[in-house]
Amino acid sequence: MRLPTPYRPEADIVSHRLAALKGALDWTAAAAVAAPWVRAVRDRPPPFWAMESLLREYPISSAEGLALMRLAEALLRVPDAETAIALTADQLGRADFEGAADSTLSRLSSSAIALSKRFLPDPGHPGSEPGLMARLGARTVVAATLRAVQLLGRQFVLGQTIEEAMAEARSAHRKQEALRFSYDMLGEGARTDADALRYLDSYVNAIRSIATGADSGGTPEHNDGISIKLSALHPRYEDAQRERVMRELVPRAWELCELAADANLNLTIDAEEVDRLELSLEVFEVLAAKVAAERPQWRGFGLAMQAYQTRALELVEHITAIARKYRLRLMCRLVKGAYWDAEIKRAQELGLPHYPVFTHKHHSDISYLACARALLAAPDAVYPQFATHNAGTIAAILQMAGDTPFELQRLHGMGEGVYREVMKSTTAPVRIYAPVGQHKDLLAYLVRRLLENGANSSFVNQLGDEAIAIDELLVSPLWLERDASLPLPSTLYGPPPARRNSNGVDLAVESMRAPLLAAYDECTVPAVAEFDAQRAADAVAVSAASYRTWSKTPVAQRAAVLRRAADALDAELPRFCALLVKEAFKTWGDAVAEVREAVDFLRYYADEAERVMRPVVLPGPTGESNELRLTGRGPWVCISPWNFPLAIFLGQVAAALATGNTVLAKPAEQTPAVALEAVRLLHAAGVPADAAQLLHGPGETVGAALVAAPGVAGVVFTGSTQVAKIIHRALAAKDGPIVPLIAETGGINAMVVDSSALPEQVVDAVVQSAFRSAGQRCSALRLLLLHESIADGVIEMIRGAAQELAAGDPSELATDVGPVIDREAFEGIQRHLQRLNAEARVLVAPASSAPAVANLIAPHAYLLPSIERVKTEIFGPVLHIVRWSGEPQAVIDQINALGFGLTLGIQTRIDSRAQAMAARAHVGNIYVNRNIIGAVVGVQPFGGEGLSGTGPKAGGPHYLLRFCAEQTLTINTTAAGGNAALLAASA
């Protein structure tokens, strides 16, 4: 690794940054310089549509600001009038625009919006039919809203084409000669290679256009430039695809570098997310070496660096070292960073040890200043470009810079008021970061800027708030806050004694993945002896005897045993991951997630057992006590599947053990070694050997014998609907007590996408849900329903994205899709594929060459004419796609008619629609605007209804109750001669 791990204690890093600034900055003097700028901006605020004014009128913390942000994000891409009307009604209907506003223009806009709402349908009553005048009015309102959003877009996009943008830039140059521009061709990361090539063409055209107005004999500092995103030039720009990236992306990036060098332009590689930084540096150094070898006179190559990353200062030092190594002068843009919320969420979801970004805004300010000082200290290697709208930061940079050359940067449409004043007192050039592109492509960019600048702690937001005194606005950031502003990922569920989040791994960090790869090299899959099905009754008898002791063990002790097991599993994550990869053919990402889920089950059920098994005192008449107690039932048969051989196995077993039951665990016959190691871990943690017996063998013999054996108190099963019904019938046919069954089965899981959804977000969710884990998840997406107005474009993007997936050996980090579990599964899926090849239109299919790995099935997708044509769950990477039109509620009815009810995805920006569809669906787990896999224990309790299972939901607050018997104890407290308590109270 080129840089230290991003996951280090925040306070330690900030202490180091403060030490680096010691003696270098007089903040009081800097604030004194900045104060007149702030006062002037407040005296003469920017126009209404400027970012700071917009946020003052409609802060994103308000319903009105949120409504406008969501309209700006979605409305321009909606192609059909019905959805546009529904979206506008939904967003405007949830906000009150009739309140007082500060400016005449904003009062007029508020009144217009409030009046327009009267023509829109009521989002609280979807399906209500408005009259003719209302319908005409609704279309007029939408057209006006659309125009307003387009006007909003114009404030933040310099031009819809590079030619338009350059014309605007020339006009600005004439007014202020010190202005420079860095053009950013709008667009998010590529999902397909066609996307990447289109972005490449856009960059090539832009550089050639910029070159026509550049001074090729001048310096890049004085010419306009361009910013490029590496993730736009390759659909798999991620650490796991390093070899592909270096082979395929570097030539594309170098083509752009050559064009920029020939025109003497500044070309900046834009910053990406934390997990891509090491890869970006590898690409950057390869390009730097080529610059040194082939274009050594060019001084315009550069990189954007994010100060909110905890590694920012080390990054500055590393880039400086690269510049000196190759005798280059680089142009480096220092920014605060734009993905803060996404980085926080990723660290929490992955269970990482610390956050890779600072959690306090003023810590990011400290980092920015420390990085600025380091950049200014290396004029031989770096030409610093400081991108900030913070008046205090600008004043500090001016103070620290002295005579060192540098430039300032701001975003087009933002910070105009501050820079109007700054440019009166400095000769430092100012470069405007200028987005270029269609307004519909602006939306994701604009929303990021709104969120970034709309936060309560943002300088841009506070600048317009007269209630915040100037001294308060410019208060020194140079102090350490010892505690993070957010709970660490490990304490996501609360401070102790709340359960700890399981520890995770960032596979993009070499030091974190190395133990996993080492464990794989040492891993051998142990042989597991088969259990003799004829001894089933004996095993049940042993379990029943153990139950008499284990059930009397206090629940706190049982919970402590499970927590010890969880801690041990957490510590042995690399070994269990390696075993999952070898025996169950898991990819590394799936293996890590499964071990973490197993740890979470152990801890969650330990906590839940202590909660639900606490006796409940019930109210009643005087003279008696009434208490409700839960007890275990006896021996439980736990039958788990091969697709989650550790997490579901341990989840079932832990639930039974936590509630005082004993366990006869029958793992899937394909993955007994994982189960064996899990049981050994439980025994080592303190579970008696007889209380948790591993009974490996075929379901038809061992599983059937255990289910049929007398004395079994309950059965918990995860697998196919067909086998669940067999177990159900077998239990019903037994003599003796009625035995409870908990069954979690599969489903024809659907995702409904309307035309307001963001296509890139949809494609990401579809590819993850349908093809991750080779489609071998109960929750996997089987049926994608696309609104007809967007279906063609989304289908094309899915085809391209699916073709970019790497299918192969799961032990390779680059593999996205591993093989299916065994030959029987492979042949079964192949029969379905043969049928679909004849009955449906093939959208995604691999080349016909033989797979390099046994039982490997690459992603497939088919277009079908109707939902009714999808009859069967195919447990593999096979996706059915159907177009829909009309009412979304009717689509939900058709999904319900399939009889399954496990998972459902809804992709829409219409909140009321999502709520109405969810309420109508007979489905256990519903996910809105995300993928439909990866339910988290205690966060998204998992389980379905109908053909998808019996409930209760695993990993939820009601699950353990099914493992328990209830007992009410009533005691007559007056039996000894009278009601002493009542008499004493009345004395």
mmCIF file of all heavy atoms in Angstrom, residues 408 458 675 800 828 966:
data_model
loop_
_atom_site.group_PDB
_atom_site.id
_atom_site.type_symbol
_atom_site.label_atom_id
_atom_site.label_comp_id
_atom_site.label_asym_id
_atom_site.label_seq_id
_atom_site.Cartn_x
_atom_site.Cartn_y
_atom_site.Cartn_z
ATOM 1 N N LEU A 408 -6.959 30.010 -6.496
ATOM 2 C CA LEU A 408 -8.186 29.665 -5.769
ATOM 3 C C LEU A 408 -9.211 29.124 -6.755
ATOM 4 O O LEU A 408 -9.171 29.452 -7.948
ATOM 5 C CB LEU A 408 -8.735 30.900 -5.054
ATOM 6 C CG LEU A 408 -7.838 31.501 -3.974
ATOM 7 C CD1 LEU A 408 -8.337 32.885 -3.573
ATOM 8 C CD2 LEU A 408 -7.776 30.586 -2.753
ATOM 9 N N SER A 458 -22.259 23.790 7.338
ATOM 10 C CA SER A 458 -21.599 24.295 6.141
ATOM 11 C C SER A 458 -21.426 25.812 6.212
ATOM 12 O O SER A 458 -22.339 26.551 6.589
ATOM 13 C CB SER A 458 -22.423 23.915 4.911
ATOM 14 O OG SER A 458 -22.083 24.720 3.800
ATOM 15 N N ALA A 675 -20.307 -26.429 8.858
ATOM 16 C CA ALA A 675 -21.134 -26.702 10.034
ATOM 17 C C ALA A 675 -20.322 -27.360 11.139
ATOM 18 O O ALA A 675 -20.486 -27.046 12.329
ATOM 19 C CB ALA A 675 -22.309 -27.590 9.640
ATOM 20 N N GLY A 800 -25.254 -4.321 -20.702
ATOM 21 C CA GLY A 800 -23.848 -3.930 -20.676
ATOM 22 C C GLY A 800 -23.195 -4.174 -19.333
ATOM 23 O O GLY A 800 -22.044 -4.642 -19.262
ATOM 24 N N GLY A 828 -29.979 -28.583 -13.341
ATOM 25 C CA GLY A 828 -31.343 -28.084 -13.197
ATOM 26 C C GLY A 828 -31.507 -26.696 -13.804
ATOM 27 O O GLY A 828 -32.499 -26.421 -14.493
ATOM 28 N N GLU A 966 -45.161 -21.112 26.614
ATOM 29 C CA GLU A 966 -45.553 -20.072 27.565
ATOM 30 C C GLU A 966 -46.186 -20.698 28.799
ATOM 31 O O GLU A 966 -46.911 -21.689 28.701
ATOM 32 C CB GLU A 966 -46.554 -19.104 26.923
ATOM 33 C CG GLU A 966 -45.972 -18.282 25.784
ATOM 34 C CD GLU A 966 -47.004 -17.328 25.195
ATOM 35 O OE1 GLU A 966 -47.972 -17.817 24.572
ATOM 36 O OE2 GLU A 966 -46.852 -16.106 25.383
#
